[in-house]
């Protein structure tokens, strides 16, 4: 079956622009996670969706970051007014028990 | 605060030279200890889940073990294709907490 997919695979943007990153989870997985991985660093938790519950936003680094999950499936992570320090790989994972990851979106803010 | 620490940060081995990677964790109410493999430019790939002390799981040249404070990933007679970053993560009452990873290089 299909795994977690993410788009775009790469994104280059200018400082101050908004970006949207998309995640398509594995069908039937109720939980969806977003992480950020900076060069040579571990995974930094950003946000977690579980079913119809209110999302756990405790990892979002600032109010420029937001995420939605529509219909319990596809999720979009939005970064407004991007800064150079937002450059990283953004990873999405979905799970029933074990988290399975997508390939990531590599974001470069110039 | 839940914490996961992996050592060493990097490890170079010759092909066939067995070794172990360490993952120390401090998590309230451990629900699972996970190992992932990550190749450059890709997302983490799930390897194992361990749930209780004394549990062991094997896959090809890899074996993961768990105690109440640590997990080890043993690699036996590694091949160059085993080169990757190995990530450990612990799930407690809250979210999954990841270690920084061990970057493993196997030289032919």
């Amino acid at each position: 079956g299909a795994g977690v997919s993410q788009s775009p695979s790469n994104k280059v943007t200018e400082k101050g622009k908004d970006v949207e990153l998309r995640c398509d989870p594995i069908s039937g997985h109720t939980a969806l996670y977003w992480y950020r991985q900076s060069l040579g660093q571990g995974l930094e938790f950003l946000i977690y969706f579980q079913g119809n519950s209110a999302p756990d936003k405790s990892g979002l680094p600032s109010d420029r970051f937001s995420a939605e999950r529509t219909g319990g499936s596809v999720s979009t992570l939005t970064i407004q007014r991007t800064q150079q320090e937002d450059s990283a790989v953004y990873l999405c994972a979905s799970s029933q028990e074990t988290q399975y990851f997508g390939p990531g979106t590599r974001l470069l803010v110039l | 605060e839940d914490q996961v620490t992996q050592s060493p940060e990097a490890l170079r081995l010759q092909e066939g030279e067995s070794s172990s990677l360490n993952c120390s964790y401090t998590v309230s109410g451990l629900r699972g200890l996970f190992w992932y493999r990550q190749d450059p430019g890709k997302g983490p790939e799930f390897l194992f889940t361990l749930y209780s002390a004394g549990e062991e799981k094997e896959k090809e040249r890899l074996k993961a073990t768990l105690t109440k404070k640590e997990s080890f990933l043993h690699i036996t007679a590694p091949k160059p294709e085993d080169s990757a970053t190995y990530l450990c993560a612990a799930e407690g009452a809250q979210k999954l907490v990841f270690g920084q990873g061990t970057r493993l290089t196997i030289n032919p």
Side-chain angles (χ1 to χ4, degrees):
Chain A
V4 178
S5 60
Q6 293 186 244
S7 60
S9 54
N10 293 281
K11 177 72 177 179
V12 180
T13 191
E14 293 179 349
K15 178 181 171 181
K17 301 278 190 183
D18 297 352
V19 295
E20 284 189 354
L21 313 180
R22 178 187 168 106
C23 172
D24 284 86
I26 294 171
S27 178
H29 280 191
T30 56
L32 187 148
Y33 304 78
W34 283 98
Y35 294 89
R36 179 168 69 178
Q37 187 174 36
S38 301
L39 190 63
Q41 301 297 310
L43 273 70
E44 175 190 2
F45 166 78
L46 297 177
I47 188 168
Y48 160 51
F49 297 89
Q50 174 63 56
N52 295 322
S53 303
D56 175 354
K57 304 179 182 180
S58 60
L60 294 178
S62 77
D63 59 7
R64 296 185 296 104
F65 288 72
S66 63
E68 289 185 342
R69 189 179 186 191
T70 55
S73 182
V74 172
S75 178
T76 302
L77 177 69
T78 301
I79 309 174
Q80 296 178 310
R81 304 181 302 282
T82 52
Q83 303 295 311
Q84 289 180 332
E85 60 263 30
D86 299 334
S87 297
V89 176
Y90 289 82
L91 289 161
C92 173
S94 71
S95 80
Q96 283 292 79
E97 290 187 357
T98 299
Q99 291 187 34
Y100 292 91
F101 284 82
T105 293
R106 280 143 200 83
L107 175 66
L108 177 62
V109 182
L110 300 176
Chain B
E1 183 180 338
D2 295 347
Q3 267 192 322
V4 175
T5 304
Q6 291 187 247
S7 62
E9 289 187 12
L11 181 62
R12 284 185 175 271
L13 300 172
Q14 289 299 122
E15 183 172 3
E17 181 185 359
S18 302
S19 189
S20 296
L21 313 183
N22 177 266
C23 170
S24 297
Y25 63 93
T26 306
V27 170
S28 302
L30 183 73
R31 292 164 59 177
L33 189 293
F34 299 81
W35 282 96
Y36 289 85
R37 169 191 171 129
Q38 187 173 26
D39 291 295
K42 296 190 176 181
E45 174 190 348
F46 171 72
L47 293 173
F48 303 110
T49 308
L50 301 167
Y51 293 103
S52 57
E55 189 175 0
E56 299 184 353
K57 287 194 176 171
E58 287 189 65
K59 180 180 179 181
E60 295 181 354
R61 294 175 293 282
L62 298 176
K63 183 169 79 172
T65 62
L66 182 65
T67 73
K68 289 187 177 179
K69 294 182 180 180
E70 296 175 303
S71 178
F72 293 92
L73 185 65
H74 308 278
I75 183 161
T76 302
K79 298 181 178 181
E81 54 262 41
D82 295 322
S83 296
T85 296
Y86 290 85
L87 299 171
C88 166
E91 183 176 22
Q94 299 179 349
K95 62 184 81 71
L96 203 58
V97 177
F98 280 84
Q100 297 289 83
T102 293
R103 189 172 64 255
L104 178 65
T105 304
I106 308 299
N107 295 316

